[in-house]
């Protein structure tokens, strides 16, 4: 795989846009405001934990897709399902552990997936972008916990 180091603009813009729910719902969770969500039966914390679980599942999909497209081994497929399973379990844990588990999961997965660019399964820019996005997303979940 080419060792492209420049982040494509679409990936950067969409990656940053994906942080908006983390930052916004974490802010609402710690501010005590519900942002009007109670009118539809929701709470910022619930929305944040659900979004965190969905994103954690997406992170596993990155490894699965990289393995499928670049000839990764069976271990890559097995590791790829871990974020989905842990995120699902986190949704069943009581507060504040749900957001703590999700926060640590997202942070850790940003580090775990750093082997993908080293092995040539994804471009170098993806590893760098993942560190930043995972850092902000994971920190948001932990702060809100």
């Amino acid at each position: 795989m080419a060792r492209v180091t420049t982040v494509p603009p679409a990936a950067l813009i969409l990656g940053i846009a994906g942080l908006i729910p983390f930052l916004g719902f974490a802010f609402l969770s710690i501010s005590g405001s519900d942002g009007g969500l109670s009118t539809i039966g929701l709470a910022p914390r619930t929305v944040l934990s659900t979004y965190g679980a969905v994103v954690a599942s997406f992170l596993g999909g990155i490894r699965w897709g990289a393995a499928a497209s670049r000839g990764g081994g069976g271990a890559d497929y097995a590791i790829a399902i871990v974020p989905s399973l842990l995120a699902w379990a986190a949704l069943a844990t009581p507060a504040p552990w749900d957001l703590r588990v999700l926060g640590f999961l997202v942070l850790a997965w940003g580090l775990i997936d750093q082997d993908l660019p080293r092995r040539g399964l994804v471009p170098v820019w993806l590893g760098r972008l993942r560190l930043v996005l995972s850092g902000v997303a994971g920190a948001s979940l932990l702060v809100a916990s």
Side-chain angles (χ1 to χ4, degrees), residues 2 8 12 20 31 35 40 42 55 74 92 101 105 112 125 127 131 134-135 137-138:
L12 182 60
I20 294 170
S31 74
I40 56 172
L42 294 174
V55 168
V101 169
L105 173 61
I112 289 168
W125 65 261
L131 280 177
S134 293

Side-chain angles (χ1 to χ4, degrees), residues 16-35 37 43-45 47-49 51 136-137 139-141 143-144:
I16 291 170
L19 293 176
I20 294 170
F22 282 112
L23 296 168
F25 290 114
F27 174 78
L28 288 175
S29 295
I30 61 177
S31 74
S33 170
D34 71 1
L37 290 172
R45 198 175 187 299
V47 175
L48 179 62
S49 64
Y51 185 66
V136 173
S140 296
L141 290 161
V143 166

